[in-house]
Amino acid sequence: DSGVTQTPKHLITATGQRVTLRCSPRSGDLSVYWYQQSLDQGLQFLIQYYNGEERAKGNILERFSAQQFPDLHSELNLSSLELGDSALYFCASSVLTGVGYTFGSGTRLTVV
Amino acid sequence: GDSVTQMEGPVTLSEEACLTINCTYTATGYPSLFWYVQYPGEGLQLLLKATKADDKGSNKGFEATYRKETTSFHLEKGSVQVSDSAVYFCALSDPQGGSEKLVFGKGTKLTVNP
């Protein structure tokens, strides 16, 4: 157990729907990062939050949004889902920069 | 922008063979370099890291040296085990790029046969 908890582990939904992925960071970690892993794009950075505020944005689609709550857990919202959104979505957390992250085990999203 | 290029896989070795997975990078600043490992059905685990030129990261028999002159961070192990079978990702983090995001290579799948 890495200490980073992601729920749910698996999600199957239809095109056009909206889903919410949840992440609880390791105790004491203020930064939360979201990544998408797909066969064609590999691992892509989506967004980072630090202590409730957005710190950096990557290749995140406008249909996707995220937030970090006062208790530091984070949610990634994916809407108007398309088949191409099927992927593994990872959350990671860290306390300091440059020392590497701790990743959760991911949420596998399948859009049918 | 920043990028990481790593050796295409898959790589298949016999137990106790030597392993090298090549990784080169392009960055505008002075990045930190990482190797992550992903076992089947799991998330990524940090294997080792190096934060400045000539640093050597090591863990579980794996080593990698930060070579600024060749912009490389090759992963090596002298004697692999079946339990090392996994996907290995090289990555960089360049704070001078204005973000703490990780930029990953495409991953190299390693299979070690008994």
Side-chain angles (χ1 to χ4, degrees):
Chain A
D1 182 7
S2 68
V4 178
T5 304
Q6 289 189 249
T7 56
K9 289 194 183 304
H10 303 276
L11 201 47
I12 301 175
T13 190
T15 53
Q17 295 298 305
R18 173 190 168 97
V19 297
T20 297
L21 312 184
R22 183 187 167 102
C23 170
S24 294
R26 233 174 25 158
S27 177
D29 287 357
L30 299 178
S31 275
V32 169
Y33 311 79
W34 287 97
Y35 285 80
Q36 180 193 59
Q37 185 179 32
S38 61
L39 282 175
D40 53 345
Q41 297 291 325
L43 274 157
Q44 297 282 319
F45 169 71
L46 296 178
I47 198 163
Q48 177 200 357
Y49 279 83
Y50 178 82
N51 203 21
E53 295 190 359
E54 183 183 302
R55 174 68 73 95
K57 216 167 190 177
N59 300 321
I60 188 166
L61 300 171
E62 285 193 11
R63 300 183 284 107
F64 296 1
S65 64
Q67 55 185 324
Q68 186 179 29
F69 294 86
D71 66 353
L72 300 178
H73 91 272
S74 178
E75 293 181 354
L76 179 67
N77 300 297
L78 316 176
S79 61
S80 302
L81 284 167
E82 301 174 359
L83 296 178
D85 298 326
S86 297
L88 260 172
Y89 291 84
F90 285 108
C91 168
S93 71
S94 73
V95 62
L96 294 173
T97 61
V99 296
Y101 308 161
T102 300
F103 279 84
S105 56
T107 293
R108 182 172 292 280
L109 173 66
T110 303
V111 182
V112 298
Chain B
D2 297 345
S3 66
V4 174
T5 302
Q6 68 180 97
M7 176 176 155
E8 297 280 336
V11 174
T12 302
L13 296 173
S14 297
E15 206 164 23
E16 299 183 2
C18 294
L19 169 72
T20 299
I21 301 177
N22 291 334
C23 171
T24 57
Y25 68 90
T26 303
T28 52
Y30 300 94
S32 295
L33 302 174
F34 305 87
W35 278 99
Y36 281 84
V37 58
Q38 185 177 28
Y39 298 101
E42 298 184 14
L44 285 82
Q45 300 176 22
L46 178 63
L47 181 59
L48 53 84
K49 70 180 190 299
T51 57
K52 61 183 188 297
D54 300 325
D55 269 2
K56 178 186 280 188
S58 61
N59 186 24
K60 299 180 181 179
F62 291 91
E63 291 182 341
T65 301
Y66 189 141
R67 302 281 187 207
K68 188 166 178 288
E69 64 276 13
T70 54
T71 61
S72 65
F73 193 55
H74 305 320
L75 182 68
E76 298 177 326
K77 188 174 186 183
S79 175
V80 294
Q81 306 300 312
V82 172
S83 57
D84 293 327
S85 297
V87 181
Y88 292 81
F89 292 91
C90 185
L92 70 82
S93 173
D94 186 359
Q96 290 192 334
S99 165
E100 294 153 18
K101 69 178 184 180
L102 283 171
V103 176
F104 285 92
K106 292 197 177 295
T108 302
K109 183 175 181 180
L110 170 67
T111 301
V112 180
N113 295 318

